[in-house]
Amino acid sequence: MRLPSCWDARLRSLNEERRAGDEERRAGGTSDLPSIVLPMSLSFPLTATDTPSTPEKIAAVHAAPGFGVHFTDHMAVATWRQGSGWGEDAVVPYGPFQLDPSTAVLHYAQEVFEGLKAYRHDDGSIWLFRPKRNAERLRASARRLMLPELPVDDFLTSIEQLVTVDAAWVPDAQGGEASLYLRPFMFANESFLGVRAAQQVTYCVIASPVGPYFAGGVQPVNIWVTDQYSRAGKGGTGAAKCGGNYASSLIAQYEGAEHGCSQVLFADAGTGVNTEELGGMNIMVVTAGGELITPELTGTILEGVTRDSILTIASELGLNPVARAITVAEIFDRIDSGDIVEAFACGTAAVLTPVAEFRSHHGAHVIGAEPGERTLQIRAAILDVQYGRAADRHGWLRRVL
Ligand code: COI
């Protein structure tokens, strides 16, 4: 179905109206609802659980956290309603939502999410890594999915309140990369089957103590290069962090699993030639000459916080960071000629995970079964900042407790 040409402009102006309305209400100057006094910003007050986890239970989770399987005692929630904006904010006991079967997100996938971590330093203090970036990206994703934008300060308050309340759940680094993974998300929570932007939206943050994303930790993984499926097309939602992107990657991910691969690499949907990203993380390669190459942002790739952090510190480590179009064929040829010596996946969840080989229907391009020296060096540099073991030269850390 082709939409009328005025549609894009109309969507944009709807977003603008919404944003202006929310901002006006926050400034206290609502002309439409003069009797309602709304707070300037959200505070996420606590309603504590009656059944807090025991220290023994938390210790047992910390001893074998896995990834995204255990959750803390509380969650942060807020509701946006057309006409009144954001409110009903609270930190409440962790628990299920009750959703009407006609809830819009269940039908039309109007949903966005984020991923960030809280790190415990050796002195016991707890820190976030570049959380404003996640806040801004959530706003950008929300704009693309026609969801309301949560102000950056409200995002930060929701995270900090939850981490403060559930601080006992933030693990020590445990000599590796243990942390509290935070998953903010927002979805269309309106009972209505018409296809339009929801007039009621739920925002929520849940928290999960985690170890490495891949079970093997820093052991190199194999990557399946699909020539059958695409992740995102021009004008699509590739740059947004929305559940639909991940759902559509699963079939290729499972195809990869059948070929012994833990992740799938997508090429661009238009030509099938340029490297884009993995199912759930960005990709980088290192050349023998010291170039660190990653696909440039084209609107179809997620603007990873870890990606940006690596590009920022690469030159401090003697590498030459380059974000440019790189074809899958170039990667294959240069691995085969020995000119690409390392490759890794990067993201909040995966940190940096080395790539052992790229596999496709046409054969394998092998880098090696051992993690590369540069990969380990960059990985350590990022983790050292996150865990307070190295100077925070870029002002990336934000203290919670
Ligand atoms: C992240 O790195 O935070 C991700 O979103 C990847 C994945 C777990 C979906």
Side-chain angles (χ1 to χ4, degrees), residues 67 113-116 137 181 183 213 241 246 279-281 302 346-350:
F67 189 94
F113 70 96
E114 269 303 320
L116 68 164
R137 193 171 61 184
Y181 185 77
R183 171 53 63 86
Y213 183 72
K241 204 160 176 65
Y246 296 79
M281 44 210 78
L302 190 76
C346 58
T348 298

Side-chain angles (χ1 to χ4, degrees), residues 117-129 159-160 162-172 179-180 182 386-387 397-401:
K117 287 173 172 170
Y119 305 89
R120 190 181 289 283
H121 289 187
D122 285 347
D123 64 0
S125 59
I126 298 174
W127 302 75
L128 303 171
F129 183 73
I159 301 283
E160 291 176 1
L162 180 61
V163 172
T164 301
V165 169
D166 283 341
W169 288 89
V170 183
D172 294 332
S179 62
L180 186 68
L182 297 153
Q386 291 172 334
Y387 286 97
L397 294 182
R398 183 179 167 103
R399 187 168 184 163
V400 181
L401 273 177

Side-chain angles (χ1 to χ4, degrees), residues 158-325:
S158 68
I159 301 283
E160 291 176 1
Q161 281 287 97
L162 180 61
V163 172
T164 301
V165 169
D166 283 341
W169 288 89
V170 183
D172 294 332
Q174 297 168 6
E177 52 181 280
S179 62
L180 186 68
Y181 185 77
L182 297 153
R183 171 53 63 86
F185 60 104
M186 191 190 286
F187 62 92
N189 190 359
E190 184 188 356
S191 303
F192 180 55
L193 292 185
V195 182
R196 61 147 167 74
Q199 297 182 352
Q200 183 177 317
V201 171
T202 294
Y203 168 72
C204 181
V205 189
I206 53 175
S208 171
V210 296
Y213 183 72
F214 292 107
V218 77
Q219 272 314 106
V221 296
N222 298 331
I223 302 291
W224 177 249
V225 184
T226 178
D227 54 12
Q228 196 182 348
Y229 301 105
S230 304
R231 177 183 169 275
K234 186 167 178 291
T237 57
K241 204 160 176 65
C242 61
N245 290 344
Y246 296 79
S248 73
S249 76
L250 291 176
I251 191 164
Q253 173 102 1
Y254 274 71
E255 186 188 48
E258 282 167 17
H259 292 86
C261 296
S262 328
Q263 270 286 310
V264 59
L265 176 69
F266 292 97
D268 73 288
T271 65
V273 165
N274 289 318
T275 310
E276 292 230 310
E277 70 173 270
L278 303 171
M281 44 210 78
N282 297 118
I283 182 83
M284 297 197 178
V285 297
V286 181
T287 68
E291 269 193 340
L292 176 72
I293 309 173
T294 195
E296 65 189 340
L297 300 174
T298 55
T300 52
I301 295 177
L302 190 76
E303 194 171 345
V305 178
T306 310
R307 174 188 180 279
D308 182 78
S309 307
I310 293 169
L311 289 175
T312 304
I313 63 163
S315 46
E316 294 161 22
L317 302 173
L319 288 159
N320 176 22
V322 183
R324 65 161 169 87

